[in-house]
Amino acid sequence: MNKPFTNKILTWYDVNGRKDLPWKINPSPYSIWISEVMLQQTQVVTVIPYFLKFMDRFPSIDVLARSQLDEVLGYWSGLGYYARARNIYRASRILYLDNKSIFPNSYDEIIKLPGIGRSTAGAILALAYKKKFSILDGNVKRVLSRYYRVKGTLEKASIQKKLWDLSDINTPTKSIAKYTQGIMDLGATICSRSKPKCNLCPLSINCLARIYHEQDLLPSKKLRQKKKKKDINLVVIIDNEKSILLEKRQERGIWGGLYSFPEILDGQTCTSWVKEKLGININRIDKLPPIRHSLTHYDLLIKPNKIKLDSRLPETKNDEQLYWHKVPVDNNIGIAKPISSLINNL
Ligand code: SF4
């Protein structure tokens, strides 16, 4: 163990750690699991209200597993990366059916659960069970690659291994939870992506990135793959009683399992889609302003085609993925952010 490194983080955490974050108050393996998954790819400030609402509605594995996935996605709506919510739900079902809704306490069992990788498993074991497991989330990667001046993109297996080794040697046996929280907090609040506050950092004296003025160069940036562009044509149908027609999207693909306005696929037109699904002819379509929305791999251009029905809505023709919903739509279904905004502006 690199004692000075570890001790400095422990001392710094005593004074500066974010001990009032909701998942740090009365933590349980379940609450730590949910918070760790929410915090993957998402900032603390964004996660807090989602975490509080989620825990209020699904306070235990048992409650979560006996809920519907649609509702779980509803509580995740707007947080993005919806595979995380689907995996949490699947994992809760596994624990409910096979483990009496008890969160396991061994690495081998935890790592088998959907959506849990080595770092998340390590965080749960360290924070909830005080076991000596290291972590390597985005914040820890940044601190270690700067402090030790590790060059090379984080996607390379050799760099990953190097960082895991460094994480392992710095992780103490005692005060494991405090150290784990400390290095995560240091990465989030002091050793930030841009403009790290080296003058406030307990590691600054020996930090190689600071000594060589390479804070901005580390961790090495990966070559960004160009995002694909994708147009999404939507049929936005609203009737005279303010009900809208939503489609439950397939599990795989963009916004998997979420509800959206129906998408017109290649070879279809708005008119032909409405005729086929609702059996009516329409004579007016209003093209609403397109919406740009960026996902990890796609730049979307969402093109809404609004159709206003003057009379009560027709029944859908036995298509189980299409549902009428009264506006405002309640949160027992998952809806992606741009679709929610579209609904709110109708
Ligand atoms: S000295 Fe600066 S770059 Fe080095 S670990 Fe601290 S905040 Fe990060």
Side-chain angles (χ1 to χ4, degrees):
M1 183 176 82
N2 177 355
K3 261 195 165 176
F5 180 99
T6 305
N7 287 342
K8 280 176 184 169
I9 288 185
L10 289 171
T11 310
W12 177 86
Y13 182 77
D14 278 338
V15 181
N16 301 288
R18 297 178 297 179
K19 302 172 193 88
D20 54 351
L21 293 175
W23 44 90
K24 292 188 180 174
I25 299 164
N26 300 323
S28 68
Y30 173 66
S31 64
I32 289 170
W33 169 41
I34 301 299
S35 65
E36 282 300 315
V37 175
M38 284 188 171
L39 287 164
Q40 292 165 3
Q41 338 253 12
T42 312
Q43 303 262 337
V44 164
V45 56
T46 308
V47 165
I48 290 174
Y50 280 91
F51 176 81
L52 291 172
K53 276 193 226 154
F54 193 94
M55 294 304 288
D56 193 45
R57 171 63 189 91
F58 311 109
S60 64
I61 294 172
D62 198 59
V63 174
L64 179 61
R66 287 191 282 110
S67 306
Q68 296 297 315
L69 175 59
D70 276 347
E71 191 184 4
V72 176
L73 286 167
Y75 276 76
W76 207 275
S77 290
L79 202 53
Y81 300 98
Y82 295 94
R84 295 182 298 177
R86 292 196 298 273
N87 282 332
I88 279 182
Y89 181 71
R90 279 172 55 212
S92 77
R93 294 291 306 163
I94 292 168
L95 295 174
Y96 173 75
L97 294 171
D98 300 345
N99 211 35
K100 298 184 180 145
S101 294
I102 296 168
F103 201 89
N105 64 2
S106 80
Y107 181 83
D108 289 346
E109 286 173 281
I110 294 176
I111 200 77
K112 277 193 233 150
L113 294 170
I116 299 190
R118 180 174 168 186
S119 186
T120 303
I124 296 167
L125 286 160
L127 297 173
Y129 297 113
K130 317 282 185 280
K131 293 190 176 187
K132 185 184 180 312
F133 278 86
S134 51
I135 65 160
L136 194 61
D137 70 357
N139 289 320
V140 178
K141 280 178 189 166
R142 195 163 53 250
V143 172
L144 293 175
S145 37
R146 283 176 174 166
Y147 184 85
Y148 289 99
R149 205 182 179 209
V150 177
K151 296 188 175 183
T153 64
L154 299 176
E155 286 65 39
K156 275 193 186 164
S158 58
I159 301 298
Q160 288 278 342
K161 180 173 179 329
K162 197 166 188 176
L163 291 173
W164 270 113
D165 290 346
L166 289 169
S167 185
D168 283 343
I169 60 163
N170 286 306
T171 301
T173 311
K174 285 186 184 165
S175 306
I176 174 74
K178 195 160 96 172
Y179 169 79
T180 303
Q181 288 176 341
I183 191 164
M184 288 196 290
D185 283 3
L186 186 78
T189 61
I190 301 290
C191 193
S192 43
R193 208 170 306 213
S194 63
K195 299 194 180 112
K197 303 177 189 78
C198 300
N199 55 331
L200 299 176
C201 179
L203 306 173
S204 68
I205 290 177
N206 297 314
C207 172
L208 293 176
R210 186 198 61 77
I211 292 166
Y212 288 95
H213 304 289
E214 289 179 347
Q215 295 98 318
D216 289 346
L217 303 177
L218 294 168
S220 305
K221 311 257 180 311
K222 69 171 173 181
L223 285 175
R224 279 193 181 272
Q225 280 197 329
K226 243 190 147 191
K227 288 188 186 184
K228 292 181 196 152
K229 291 190 186 306
K230 186 170 168 60
D231 287 4
I232 294 194
N233 285 289
L234 298 178
V235 203
V236 177
I237 303 180
I238 182 162
D239 77 355
N240 61 339
E241 293 184 4
K242 262 215 146 183
S243 285
I244 52 173
L245 187 61
L246 296 180
E247 171 186 50
K248 185 171 181 181
R249 294 179 68 93
Q250 292 178 351
E251 289 276 318
R252 297 176 73 93
I254 294 169
W255 303 326
L258 271 66
Y259 286 70
S260 164
F261 289 109
E263 186 176 345
I264 308 168
L265 302 174
D266 288 345
Q268 287 179 315
T269 63
C270 240
T271 316
S272 68
W273 189 93
V274 174
K275 178 76 183 162
E276 183 192 329
K277 300 290 181 186
L278 305 181
I280 56 170
N281 294 312
I282 44 158
N283 45 27
R284 179 172 168 173
I285 300 169
D286 291 322
K287 292 202 177 297
L288 301 181
I291 302 163
R292 291 186 189 283
H293 186 70
S294 195
L295 300 172
T296 312
H297 301 297
Y298 288 102
D299 278 327
L300 302 181
L301 185 63
I302 301 165
K303 298 176 176 171
N305 300 280
K306 184 175 170 186
I307 297 167
K308 206 153 188 279
L309 301 179
D310 293 329
S311 54
R312 277 190 66 83
L313 48 92
E315 290 303 317
T316 51
K317 282 186 163 179
N318 299 327
D319 192 327
E320 69 220 35
Q321 299 306 325
L322 292 171
Y323 304 89
W324 291 98
H325 287 269
K326 204 94 183 138
V327 177
V329 179
D330 49 26
N331 66 352
N332 58 7
I333 56 169
I335 300 179
K337 219 175 193 170
I339 305 302
S340 290
S341 315
L342 196 48
I343 294 172
N344 293 338
N345 289 323
L346 281 177

Short mmCIF file of all heavy atoms in Angstrom, two decimals, residues 118-160:
data_model
loop_
_atom_site.label_atom_id
_atom_site.label_comp_id
_atom_site.label_asym_id
_atom_site.label_seq_id
_atom_site.Cartn_x
_atom_site.Cartn_y
_atom_site.Cartn_z
N ARG A 118 -17.04 -4.78 -12.41
CA ARG A 118 -16.07 -4.95 -11.32
C ARG A 118 -16.04 -3.74 -10.37
O ARG A 118 -15.98 -3.90 -9.15
CB ARG A 118 -14.67 -5.16 -11.95
CG ARG A 118 -13.58 -5.33 -10.92
CD ARG A 118 -12.26 -5.67 -11.59
NE ARG A 118 -11.16 -5.56 -10.65
CZ ARG A 118 -9.88 -5.68 -10.98
NH1 ARG A 118 -9.55 -5.94 -12.24
NH2 ARG A 118 -8.93 -5.57 -10.07
N SER A 119 -16.10 -2.53 -10.94
CA SER A 119 -15.99 -1.36 -10.08
C SER A 119 -17.23 -1.18 -9.21
O SER A 119 -17.13 -0.87 -8.01
CB SER A 119 -15.75 -0.10 -10.93
OG SER A 119 -15.51 1.00 -10.09
N THR A 120 -18.41 -1.39 -9.80
CA THR A 120 -19.64 -1.25 -9.01
C THR A 120 -19.69 -2.32 -7.92
O THR A 120 -20.05 -2.04 -6.77
CB THR A 120 -20.87 -1.35 -9.93
OG1 THR A 120 -20.75 -0.35 -10.93
CG2 THR A 120 -22.16 -1.14 -9.18
N ALA A 121 -19.29 -3.54 -8.27
CA ALA A 121 -19.25 -4.61 -7.26
C ALA A 121 -18.28 -4.23 -6.14
O ALA A 121 -18.59 -4.38 -4.95
CB ALA A 121 -18.83 -5.93 -7.91
N GLY A 122 -17.12 -3.70 -6.53
CA GLY A 122 -16.12 -3.29 -5.53
C GLY A 122 -16.67 -2.20 -4.62
O GLY A 122 -16.48 -2.24 -3.40
N ALA A 123 -17.37 -1.23 -5.22
CA ALA A 123 -17.92 -0.13 -4.41
C ALA A 123 -18.95 -0.65 -3.42
O ALA A 123 -18.95 -0.25 -2.25
CB ALA A 123 -18.55 0.92 -5.33
N ILE A 124 -19.81 -1.56 -3.85
CA ILE A 124 -20.83 -2.09 -2.94
C ILE A 124 -20.16 -2.87 -1.81
O ILE A 124 -20.50 -2.71 -0.63
CB ILE A 124 -21.82 -3.00 -3.71
CG1 ILE A 124 -22.59 -2.17 -4.75
CG2 ILE A 124 -22.80 -3.68 -2.75
CD1 ILE A 124 -23.37 -3.00 -5.76
N LEU A 125 -19.17 -3.69 -2.15
CA LEU A 125 -18.51 -4.50 -1.12
C LEU A 125 -17.73 -3.61 -0.14
O LEU A 125 -17.72 -3.86 1.07
CB LEU A 125 -17.57 -5.51 -1.78
CG LEU A 125 -18.31 -6.68 -2.44
CD1 LEU A 125 -17.45 -7.37 -3.48
CD2 LEU A 125 -18.76 -7.68 -1.37
N ALA A 126 -17.10 -2.58 -0.67
CA ALA A 126 -16.31 -1.69 0.21
C ALA A 126 -17.23 -0.82 1.07
O ALA A 126 -17.02 -0.70 2.28
CB ALA A 126 -15.40 -0.81 -0.64
N LEU A 127 -18.25 -0.24 0.44
CA LEU A 127 -19.08 0.73 1.16
C LEU A 127 -20.11 0.06 2.07
O LEU A 127 -20.37 0.53 3.17
CB LEU A 127 -19.79 1.66 0.17
CG LEU A 127 -18.88 2.53 -0.71
CD1 LEU A 127 -19.70 3.27 -1.75
CD2 LEU A 127 -18.09 3.52 0.14
N ALA A 128 -20.70 -1.03 1.58
CA ALA A 128 -21.78 -1.64 2.37
C ALA A 128 -21.26 -2.70 3.33
O ALA A 128 -21.75 -2.83 4.44
CB ALA A 128 -22.81 -2.27 1.43
N TYR A 129 -20.27 -3.47 2.88
CA TYR A 129 -19.82 -4.60 3.70
C TYR A 129 -18.43 -4.38 4.29
O TYR A 129 -17.90 -5.27 4.95
CB TYR A 129 -19.85 -5.88 2.86
CG TYR A 129 -21.23 -6.27 2.40
CD1 TYR A 129 -21.57 -6.23 1.05
CD2 TYR A 129 -22.21 -6.65 3.31
CE1 TYR A 129 -22.84 -6.58 0.62
CE2 TYR A 129 -23.48 -7.01 2.89
CZ TYR A 129 -23.79 -6.97 1.55
OH TYR A 129 -25.06 -7.31 1.13
N LYS A 130 -17.84 -3.23 4.00
CA LYS A 130 -16.50 -2.88 4.53
C LYS A 130 -15.46 -3.95 4.18
O LYS A 130 -14.58 -4.28 4.98
CB LYS A 130 -16.53 -2.68 6.07
CG LYS A 130 -17.73 -1.89 6.59
CD LYS A 130 -17.56 -0.40 6.37
CE LYS A 130 -18.66 0.43 6.98
NZ LYS A 130 -19.91 0.52 6.24
N LYS A 131 -15.59 -4.51 2.99
CA LYS A 131 -14.62 -5.52 2.56
C LYS A 131 -13.57 -4.86 1.67
O LYS A 131 -13.89 -3.91 0.94
CB LYS A 131 -15.32 -6.63 1.78
CG LYS A 131 -16.25 -7.47 2.65
CD LYS A 131 -16.72 -8.69 1.88
CE LYS A 131 -17.57 -9.57 2.77
NZ LYS A 131 -17.92 -10.84 2.14
N LYS A 132 -12.38 -5.40 1.69
CA LYS A 132 -11.30 -4.78 0.92
C LYS A 132 -11.43 -5.12 -0.57
O LYS A 132 -10.95 -6.15 -1.03
CB LYS A 132 -9.93 -5.23 1.44
CG LYS A 132 -8.77 -4.51 0.75
CD LYS A 132 -7.44 -5.04 1.22
CE LYS A 132 -6.25 -4.36 0.55
NZ LYS A 132 -6.29 -4.21 -0.88
N PHE A 133 -12.14 -4.26 -1.27
CA PHE A 133 -12.23 -4.37 -2.72
C PHE A 133 -11.97 -2.98 -3.29
O PHE A 133 -12.42 -1.99 -2.73
CB PHE A 133 -13.62 -4.87 -3.15
CG PHE A 133 -13.74 -6.35 -3.05
CD1 PHE A 133 -14.10 -6.95 -1.84
CD2 PHE A 133 -13.46 -7.17 -4.14
CE1 PHE A 133 -14.18 -8.32 -1.73
CE2 PHE A 133 -13.55 -8.55 -4.03
CZ PHE A 133 -13.90 -9.13 -2.83
N SER A 134 -11.23 -2.94 -4.38
CA SER A 134 -10.92 -1.63 -4.95
C SER A 134 -11.96 -1.25 -6.00
O SER A 134 -12.75 -2.10 -6.45
CB SER A 134 -9.52 -1.65 -5.57
OG SER A 134 -9.41 -2.75 -6.43
N ILE A 135 -11.95 0.02 -6.35
CA ILE A 135 -12.89 0.49 -7.38
C ILE A 135 -12.11 1.26 -8.44
O ILE A 135 -10.97 1.68 -8.22
CB ILE A 135 -13.99 1.40 -6.79
CG1 ILE A 135 -13.39 2.69 -6.23
CG2 ILE A 135 -14.79 0.69 -5.72
CD1 ILE A 135 -14.42 3.78 -6.08
N LEU A 136 -12.74 1.43 -9.58
CA LEU A 136 -12.09 2.21 -10.65
C LEU A 136 -13.18 2.88 -11.48
O LEU A 136 -13.39 2.55 -12.64
CB LEU A 136 -11.23 1.28 -11.52
CG LEU A 136 -10.23 1.98 -12.45
CD1 LEU A 136 -9.23 2.81 -11.68
CD2 LEU A 136 -9.49 0.96 -13.31
N ASP A 137 -13.90 3.80 -10.82
CA ASP A 137 -14.89 4.55 -11.60
C ASP A 137 -14.20 5.75 -12.26
O ASP A 137 -12.98 5.92 -12.14
CB ASP A 137 -16.07 4.97 -10.70
CG ASP A 137 -15.69 6.04 -9.70
OD1 ASP A 137 -14.50 6.43 -9.65
OD2 ASP A 137 -16.57 6.50 -8.96
N GLY A 138 -14.96 6.57 -12.93
CA GLY A 138 -14.37 7.68 -13.69
C GLY A 138 -13.55 8.61 -12.82
O GLY A 138 -12.47 9.07 -13.21
N ASN A 139 -14.03 8.90 -11.61
CA ASN A 139 -13.31 9.82 -10.73
C ASN A 139 -11.98 9.22 -10.29
O ASN A 139 -10.95 9.91 -10.24
CB ASN A 139 -14.16 10.14 -9.50
CG ASN A 139 -15.33 11.02 -9.86
OD1 ASN A 139 -15.20 11.94 -10.66
ND2 ASN A 139 -16.49 10.74 -9.29
N VAL A 140 -12.00 7.95 -9.95
CA VAL A 140 -10.78 7.30 -9.46
C VAL A 140 -9.76 7.17 -10.61
O VAL A 140 -8.56 7.40 -10.42
CB VAL A 140 -11.12 5.92 -8.85
CG1 VAL A 140 -9.86 5.20 -8.39
CG2 VAL A 140 -12.10 6.09 -7.70
N LYS A 141 -10.26 6.85 -11.79
CA LYS A 141 -9.35 6.77 -12.95
C LYS A 141 -8.63 8.10 -13.15
O LYS A 141 -7.45 8.15 -13.44
CB LYS A 141 -10.15 6.47 -14.22
CG LYS A 141 -10.53 5.02 -14.39
CD LYS A 141 -11.35 4.85 -15.65
CE LYS A 141 -11.93 3.46 -15.72
NZ LYS A 141 -12.98 3.32 -16.71
N ARG A 142 -9.38 9.19 -13.00
CA ARG A 142 -8.79 10.51 -13.24
C ARG A 142 -7.71 10.82 -12.20
O ARG A 142 -6.61 11.24 -12.53
CB ARG A 142 -9.90 11.57 -13.23
CG ARG A 142 -9.46 12.89 -13.81
CD ARG A 142 -10.65 13.76 -14.16
NE ARG A 142 -11.57 13.93 -13.06
CZ ARG A 142 -12.78 13.41 -13.00
NH1 ARG A 142 -13.24 12.67 -13.98
NH2 ARG A 142 -13.55 13.61 -11.95
N VAL A 143 -8.02 10.57 -10.93
CA VAL A 143 -7.04 10.87 -9.87
C VAL A 143 -5.78 10.03 -10.08
O VAL A 143 -4.66 10.55 -10.06
CB VAL A 143 -7.65 10.57 -8.47
CG1 VAL A 143 -6.58 10.69 -7.39
CG2 VAL A 143 -8.81 11.51 -8.18
N LEU A 144 -5.96 8.74 -10.32
CA LEU A 144 -4.79 7.86 -10.43
C LEU A 144 -3.98 8.16 -11.68
O LEU A 144 -2.74 8.19 -11.63
CB LEU A 144 -5.24 6.39 -10.44
CG LEU A 144 -5.85 5.87 -9.13
CD1 LEU A 144 -6.37 4.45 -9.31
CD2 LEU A 144 -4.84 5.92 -7.98
N SER A 145 -4.66 8.39 -12.80
CA SER A 145 -3.85 8.63 -14.01
C SER A 145 -3.11 9.95 -13.92
O SER A 145 -2.01 10.08 -14.46
CB SER A 145 -4.65 8.51 -15.30
OG SER A 145 -5.91 9.00 -15.19
N ARG A 146 -3.65 10.91 -13.20
CA ARG A 146 -2.91 12.18 -13.05
C ARG A 146 -1.79 12.02 -12.02
O ARG A 146 -0.65 12.42 -12.27
CB ARG A 146 -3.88 13.29 -12.62
CG ARG A 146 -4.72 13.79 -13.78
CD ARG A 146 -5.73 14.82 -13.33
NE ARG A 146 -6.45 15.40 -14.46
CZ ARG A 146 -7.56 16.12 -14.33
NH1 ARG A 146 -8.09 16.33 -13.15
NH2 ARG A 146 -8.15 16.63 -15.40
N TYR A 147 -2.13 11.46 -10.89
CA TYR A 147 -1.13 11.37 -9.82
C TYR A 147 0.09 10.56 -10.27
O TYR A 147 1.23 10.94 -10.02
CB TYR A 147 -1.77 10.72 -8.59
CG TYR A 147 -0.86 10.65 -7.39
CD1 TYR A 147 -0.74 11.74 -6.52
CD2 TYR A 147 -0.11 9.51 -7.12
CE1 TYR A 147 0.10 11.69 -5.42
CE2 TYR A 147 0.74 9.45 -6.02
CZ TYR A 147 0.83 10.54 -5.18
OH TYR A 147 1.67 10.49 -4.09
N TYR A 148 -0.17 9.45 -10.96
CA TYR A 148 0.94 8.58 -11.39
C TYR A 148 1.37 8.86 -12.83
O TYR A 148 2.21 8.16 -13.36
CB TYR A 148 0.53 7.11 -11.26
CG TYR A 148 0.42 6.65 -9.82
CD1 TYR A 148 -0.81 6.57 -9.19
CD2 TYR A 148 1.56 6.30 -9.10
CE1 TYR A 148 -0.91 6.15 -7.87
CE2 TYR A 148 1.47 5.87 -7.78
CZ TYR A 148 0.23 5.80 -7.17
OH TYR A 148 0.14 5.38 -5.87
N ARG A 149 0.76 9.82 -13.46
CA ARG A 149 1.08 10.20 -14.84
C ARG A 149 0.99 8.99 -15.77
O ARG A 149 1.94 8.64 -16.49
CB ARG A 149 2.49 10.79 -14.89
CG ARG A 149 2.72 11.74 -16.05
CD ARG A 149 4.14 12.21 -16.00
NE ARG A 149 4.50 13.11 -17.08
CZ ARG A 149 5.73 13.20 -17.56
NH1 ARG A 149 6.69 12.45 -17.08
NH2 ARG A 149 5.98 14.05 -18.53
N VAL A 150 -0.16 8.35 -15.74
CA VAL A 150 -0.39 7.17 -16.59
C VAL A 150 -0.88 7.67 -17.94
O VAL A 150 -1.95 8.27 -18.04
CB VAL A 150 -1.44 6.23 -15.96
CG1 VAL A 150 -1.72 5.05 -16.89
CG2 VAL A 150 -0.97 5.76 -14.60
N LYS A 151 -0.09 7.41 -18.97
CA LYS A 151 -0.46 7.90 -20.30
C LYS A 151 -1.02 6.76 -21.13
O LYS A 151 -0.60 5.63 -21.00
CB LYS A 151 0.76 8.51 -20.99
CG LYS A 151 1.26 9.73 -20.25
CD LYS A 151 2.33 10.47 -21.01
CE LYS A 151 2.67 11.74 -20.26
NZ LYS A 151 3.63 12.56 -20.95
N GLY A 152 -1.91 7.10 -22.01
CA GLY A 152 -2.56 6.07 -22.85
C GLY A 152 -4.05 6.09 -22.59
O GLY A 152 -4.48 6.36 -21.46
N THR A 153 -4.83 5.84 -23.60
CA THR A 153 -6.28 5.99 -23.43
C THR A 153 -6.84 4.89 -22.53
O THR A 153 -6.34 3.76 -22.50
CB THR A 153 -7.03 5.95 -24.78
OG1 THR A 153 -6.84 4.67 -25.34
CG2 THR A 153 -6.54 7.01 -25.72
N LEU A 154 -7.88 5.27 -21.80
CA LEU A 154 -8.43 4.38 -20.79
C LEU A 154 -9.09 3.14 -21.39
O LEU A 154 -9.38 2.19 -20.69
CB LEU A 154 -9.46 5.15 -19.95
CG LEU A 154 -8.90 6.36 -19.20
CD1 LEU A 154 -10.01 7.10 -18.49
CD2 LEU A 154 -7.83 5.95 -18.21
N GLU A 155 -9.33 3.17 -22.67
CA GLU A 155 -9.97 2.01 -23.31
C GLU A 155 -8.98 0.86 -23.51
O GLU A 155 -9.38 -0.27 -23.72
CB GLU A 155 -10.57 2.39 -24.67
CG GLU A 155 -11.84 3.22 -24.59
CD GLU A 155 -11.61 4.58 -23.96
OE1 GLU A 155 -10.56 5.19 -24.25
OE2 GLU A 155 -12.45 5.01 -23.16
N LYS A 156 -7.68 1.16 -23.48
CA LYS A 156 -6.68 0.11 -23.70
C LYS A 156 -6.64 -0.84 -22.51
O LYS A 156 -6.57 -0.39 -21.36
CB LYS A 156 -5.29 0.74 -23.84
CG LYS A 156 -4.96 1.21 -25.23
CD LYS A 156 -3.47 1.51 -25.27
CE LYS A 156 -3.08 2.12 -26.58
NZ LYS A 156 -1.77 2.74 -26.50
N ALA A 157 -6.62 -2.13 -22.79
CA ALA A 157 -6.62 -3.12 -21.71
C ALA A 157 -5.39 -2.95 -20.81
O ALA A 157 -5.48 -3.08 -19.58
CB ALA A 157 -6.66 -4.52 -22.30
N SER A 158 -4.24 -2.62 -21.42
CA SER A 158 -3.02 -2.49 -20.61
C SER A 158 -3.13 -1.31 -19.65
O SER A 158 -2.64 -1.37 -18.51
CB SER A 158 -1.80 -2.31 -21.52
OG SER A 158 -1.99 -1.17 -22.34
N ILE A 159 -3.78 -0.23 -20.08
CA ILE A 159 -3.94 0.94 -19.21
C ILE A 159 -4.94 0.62 -18.10
O ILE A 159 -4.75 0.97 -16.93
CB ILE A 159 -4.41 2.17 -20.03
CG1 ILE A 159 -3.39 2.49 -21.13
CG2 ILE A 159 -4.64 3.38 -19.13
CD1 ILE A 159 -2.01 2.85 -20.63
N GLN A 160 -6.01 -0.06 -18.49
CA GLN A 160 -7.00 -0.47 -17.48
C GLN A 160 -6.32 -1.31 -16.40
O GLN A 160 -6.54 -1.12 -15.21
CB GLN A 160 -8.10 -1.32 -18.14
CG GLN A 160 -9.05 -0.54 -19.01
CD GLN A 160 -10.15 0.16 -18.21
OE1 GLN A 160 -10.41 -0.19 -17.07
NE2 GLN A 160 -10.76 1.16 -18.80
#
